[in-house]
Amino acid sequence: MKTISYSTLVVTLLTLLGCGSLVQEVDPGNLPTATPKMVVHCFISPQDTLLAVYVQAPRAVLGTKFTDNGGFYLTYSLQGSVVTLSDGTRTVQLPGVGGTIPLYYGIDTRQFPIVAGRTYTLTVSNAYFPTVTAQCTVPKAVKPTEIRADSLSGRANGLPGTTYYGRLVWQDAAGEANYYQVSGNLIKTVTRPIYTTPNVPTRDTTLTNMYPLSFNGVNLITDQNVDGQRLISARGEAREFNYNSLERTIGLVFTMTLSNIDENYYRYRETVDRQGDADENPFAEPVLVPSNIQGGYGCFGAYNQSTLTVKVK
């Protein structure tokens, strides 16, 4: 038995030594070099009240981080940038908002309205990085036609509650590539008794709560192979726990929004979602996030929203 134990120990040690030989130090000088580029994100819509452009310095994976002359790490927001937006006829410069190191560059859309069908050009320049440009065309609005609502009562974690479900229905525009994103909320109004102080009668109060619908990451849709057909979204759901048995529902409203998004936004959002799903999974295939920022990284996209509200109760 001892001979077998000693043999097992020797084999184990040899195996570990063999694994150690697989580790090889890499000379940083042999790694490829690349010119640092700005990271820019901007999404525009006719429904927005604010135009916001986020300009960031890249985060270094190897080597030292980029710093300005003041020694601040410009990891999140890049100061000193000149940001302009043009619709081909008019050009506007977006000032920095939020202090010396701006949170973003932006203006009120009343100064520069976003119009469906127009192509916009974004330009960002900075003394430390090459100038970047990007273009996108604002898609037209597509109106949803129906909300299919349902609910299921039960218990979860020992508490009674109700799960509400909603699907959005719309007619796809034929003869063109379309990309969609669906979101929504459940708005519930209830009355609930409020106990105040002794010798004071109990009174009812009205409360309104909003529950966002969760689509489990399946809220992006394309009309590929279903062009011109009637489309139905994935099921969005909201879970609501009933902590008070005396609570009474007096109003229930589904509000769902259909965003007709451009291809830039769709490709970027879809790959970011897949990258998030693969995070920290050593067996997942790497996901390369696309960029339509010429000379930099990020996304300049557009969308157009239409909202449908249905009163269930």
Side-chain angles (χ1 to χ4, degrees), residues 163-180:
T163 302
Y164 297 93
Y165 304 101
R167 293 180 184 267
L168 194 62
V169 183
W170 69 96
Q171 179 66 43
D172 177 63
E176 59 186 51
N178 290 292
Y179 307 89
Y180 303 101

Side-chain angles (χ1 to χ4, degrees), residues 9 18 25 28 34 61 97 106 110 118 146 165 175 194 217 237 239 256 281 299 309:
L9 178 60
E25 294 289 338
V61 177
V97 178
R110 288 175 295 184
R118 290 187 184 176
E146 179 187 355
Y165 304 101
I194 298 296
E237 62 179 65
R239 175 72 177 172
M256 299 189 71
N281 183 355
C299 182
T309 299

Side-chain angles (χ1 to χ4, degrees), residues 187-199:
I187 302 173
K188 185 177 182 181
T189 303
V190 300
T191 59
R192 179 185 301 174
I194 298 296
Y195 300 95
T196 54
T197 57
N199 303 322

